[in-house]
């Protein structure tokens, strides 16, 4: 095995390696410059296992910049290299190509281990979409080759498994891929969080609420079948959804448990995993979960699952079998938020409550197990990525390892996966958000530093300058290509519309209290505020999130009252249907116009009650977004910038149908009182 160090700049001094294979002996082993500024070191005779190492460049130590994998050794983080057992057979991908028209060409070689045991007579199988293709393997050459034409649009996968005559298995190849006319981009549409238990009940026979638990903290019947039904009805298509996020899918414990405020809760939310690789039976079977992802994939919609990696429930077999193996922060762990256990100071070791033991991500054995579990779910459920819960409560080896595994698949097939994190911070939390975002880790995070000023401005009616300040701060804080997710609401905060309607004062935020919000909001001004908020959020860069129910103004106090059962169709009041239509128009506009997806964002005018900005592409196409909260019509002469400054053409407002003629720095825009306008290129 050879280690390689390719510095971005020329190195004046020596480059060495310190490694676990010799107990980090001093002096470190020297690397050799192969003549092009790249340094190498060949390792021989090592026992097959994982080892930690660092490069020593001059007098400084550094992790391998090209290696996403790391390993903790004696409270220090090192890059990780795994020496394979050379007796194991290997599957080598030689070729993998897919065309938008549905042509697949894949070639894989079977390579014997060092003892040349030869392949097992029936141990080599290539399958396409789960169907074995015995004609794909040629025993004479030891190669698999599959050439298929006319595959249907949508998602497919190739799986190759092999073992030798001694029963040793090669690491299998899982090769998921898409047949679609153009490359998918995560920012091309909205992300929707369908909170599984609270979204839609598609199969009554799996309902099983727990006795003596308040309904708002109990199972309400939502399931995989319910989400699938809404997929097939076109609910998400109408919203312009391109990414569907669902609750954690793992089995949770039976019974009730004390939670916030001393109240009893069940595991309806999915964040108390009690078994690995087993679906929550109230949500449905693995087959029903695969039916959900299949229904989404037929529509080009990606599905990401919530991934709980910080902890498990005390009933989980990992706690039962590995509590003393270093897998958990036992002696070092306290309950977050209690005396001498600050949420931030103890964020890596504290546990959320006594029955949720906290994982120790410095244990390499644990890292290996959870990486394997994550890949199992990726394949078995056919997921397209993950939402990582509680990112700041774990060592960064968590996100880096999962990204590394996903990147390995991407390198073989070109299929990309979305990895988005939840790091709960406040307006000053951008450095903490940005810390986890890189090609080696997360694609983006939920944009909490933007969320708080958005709620203040749009729900409370405070000045819009604070929103523009937050957007500009984002543009300075995050590297280009970051796919953060702006949002109006989530499952941890009281509902936007209840804040906008003033329902949360005087004890109204207590989720179990008598003053919690009524079933339906009837205040037109609150819905008007939601429209302003959605007009802003859904036209921002990144992957805007719609939390289920916000699109119809579902009310609710704090968690768990903010997780009421979703309502559809005839169950909606007129104001709710009107808001849904508004959000659909925004979602469809984003889906149809690249400028709203990936265009540069530029502020044109901002006042307490007026906000106008543009999104523009280098080709001169763009979009104009205007929010006017005042009671008077505003006629504005705009100085367009970027790609729109030299453009001309007719634009049309997606809501009113009014047209606008671009005229560079003399463009006149009229915004109606208490109105929203989103102008996009007029299409004949």
């Amino acid at each position: 095995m050879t280690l390689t160090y390719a510095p971005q700049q020329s190195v004046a001094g020596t480059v060495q390696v310190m490694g676990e294979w010799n107990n980090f002996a001093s002096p470190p082993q020297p690397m050799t410059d192969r003549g092009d500024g790249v340094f190498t070191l060949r390792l021989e005779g090592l026992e097959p296992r994982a080892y930690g190492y660092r490069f020593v460049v001059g007098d400084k130590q550094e992790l391998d910049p090209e290696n996403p994998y790391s390993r903790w050794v004696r409270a220090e983080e090192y890059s990780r290299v795994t020496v394979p057992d050379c007796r194991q057979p290997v599957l080598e991908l030689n070729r993998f190509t897919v065309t938008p028209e549905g042509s697949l060409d894949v070639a894989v070689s079977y390579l014997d281990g060092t003892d040349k045991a030869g392949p097992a007579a029936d141990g080599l199988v290539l399958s396409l979409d789960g169907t074995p293709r015995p004609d794909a393997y040629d025993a004479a050459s030891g190669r698999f080759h599959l050439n298929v034409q006319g595959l249907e649009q949508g998602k497919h996968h190739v799986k190759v498994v092999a073992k030798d005559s001694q029963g040793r298995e090669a690491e299998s190849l899982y090769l998921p891929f898409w047949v679609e006319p153009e490359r998918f981009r995560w920012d091309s549409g909205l992300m929707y969080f369908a909170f599984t238990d609270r979204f839609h009940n598609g199969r009554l026979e799996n309902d099983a609420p727990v006795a003596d638990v308040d309904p708002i903290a109990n199972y309400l019947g939502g399931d995989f079948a319910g989400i699938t039904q809404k997929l097939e009805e076109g609910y998400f298509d109408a919203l312009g959804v391109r990414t569907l996020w669902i609750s954690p899918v793992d089995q949770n414990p039976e019974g009730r448990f004390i939670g916030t405020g001393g109240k009893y809760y069940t595991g309806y939310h999915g964040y108390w995993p009690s078994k690995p690789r087993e679906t929550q039976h109230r949500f449905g079977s693995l087959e029903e979960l695969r039916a959900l992802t299949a229904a989404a994939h037929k529509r080009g919609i990606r599905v990401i699952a919530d991934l709980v990696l910080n902890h498990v429930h005390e009933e989980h077999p990992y706690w039962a079998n590995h509590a003393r193996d270093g897998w958990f922060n036992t002696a070092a762990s306290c309950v977050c938020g209690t005396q001498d256990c600050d949420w931030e100071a103890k964020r890596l070791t504290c546990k959320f409550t006594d029955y949720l033991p906290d994982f120790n991500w410095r244990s390499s054995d644990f890292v290996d197990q959870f990486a394997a579990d994550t890949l199992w779910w990726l394949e078995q459920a056919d997921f397209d990525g993950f939402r990582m819960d509680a990112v700041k409560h774990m060592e960064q080896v968590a996100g880096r390892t999962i990204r590394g595994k996903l990147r390995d698949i991407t390198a073989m097939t070109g299929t990309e996966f979305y990895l988005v994190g939840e790091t709960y911070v406040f307006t000053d939390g951008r450095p903490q958000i940005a810390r986890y975002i890189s090609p080696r880790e997360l694609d983006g995070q939920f944009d909490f530093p933007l969320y708080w000023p958005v709620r203040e401005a749009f729900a409370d009616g405070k000045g819009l300058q604070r929103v523009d300040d937050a957007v500009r701060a984002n543009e300075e804080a995050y590297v280009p290509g970051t796919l953060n997710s702006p949002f109006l609401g989530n499952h941890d905060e009281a509902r936007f519309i209840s804040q906008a309607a003033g329902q949360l004062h005087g004890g109204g935020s207590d989720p179990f209290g008598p003053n919690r919000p009524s079933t339906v909001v009837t205040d037109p001004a609150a819905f008007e505020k939601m429209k302003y908020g959605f007009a802003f959020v859904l036209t921002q860069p990144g992957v805007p999130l719609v939390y289920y129910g916000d699109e119809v103004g579902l009310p609710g106090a704090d968690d768990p009252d903010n997780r009421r059962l979703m309502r559809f169709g005839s169950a909606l009041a007129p104001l709710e249907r009107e808001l849904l239509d508004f959000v659909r128009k925004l979602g469809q506009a984003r889906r149809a116009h690249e400028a709203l997806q990936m265009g540069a964002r530029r502020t044109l005018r901002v006042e307490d009650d007026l906000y106008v900005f543009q999104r523009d592409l280098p080709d001169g196409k763009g979009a104009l977004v205007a929010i006017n909260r005042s009671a008077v019509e505003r006629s504005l002469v705009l100085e367009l910038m970027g790609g729109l400054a030299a453009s001309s053409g007719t634009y049309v407002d997606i809501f009113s149908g009014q047209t606008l003629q671009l005229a560079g720095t003399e463009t006149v825009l009229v915004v109606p009182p208490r109105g929203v306008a989103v102008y996009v290129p007029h299409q004949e």
Side-chain angles (χ1 to χ4, degrees), residues 387-401:
R387 178 261 191 188
M388 286 184 58
D389 184 53
V391 168
K392 70 178 181 180
H393 292 280
M394 300 176 289
E395 300 283 0
Q396 285 184 261
V397 64
R400 289 171 180 168
T401 298

Side-chain angles (χ1 to χ4, degrees), residues 33 148 236 315 355 426 457 530:
D33 187 341
V148 179
F236 302 107
E315 294 181 7
Y355 49 81
F426 295 96
M530 284 218 77

Side-chain angles (χ1 to χ4, degrees), residues 587-645:
Q588 289 296 327
R590 187 183 184 99
R591 179 75 182 86
H593 298 279
E594 285 192 351
L596 288 173
Q597 303 165 15
M598 56 188 295
R601 191 216 65 86
R602 308 175 201 270
T603 300
L604 299 176
R605 191 76 60 88
V606 58
E607 302 170 8
D608 276 353
D609 288 317
L610 178 71
Y611 194 21
V612 184
F613 59 92
Q614 70 175 61
R615 304 287 306 276
D616 66 274
L617 297 168
D619 65 4
K621 291 183 179 179
L624 289 172
V625 180
I627 299 169
N628 177 19
R629 302 191 305 192
S630 71
V632 297
E633 180 180 272
R634 297 297 302 272
S635 180
L636 310 168
V637 178
L638 300 177
E639 295 186 8
L640 302 184
M641 297 184 287
L644 292 184

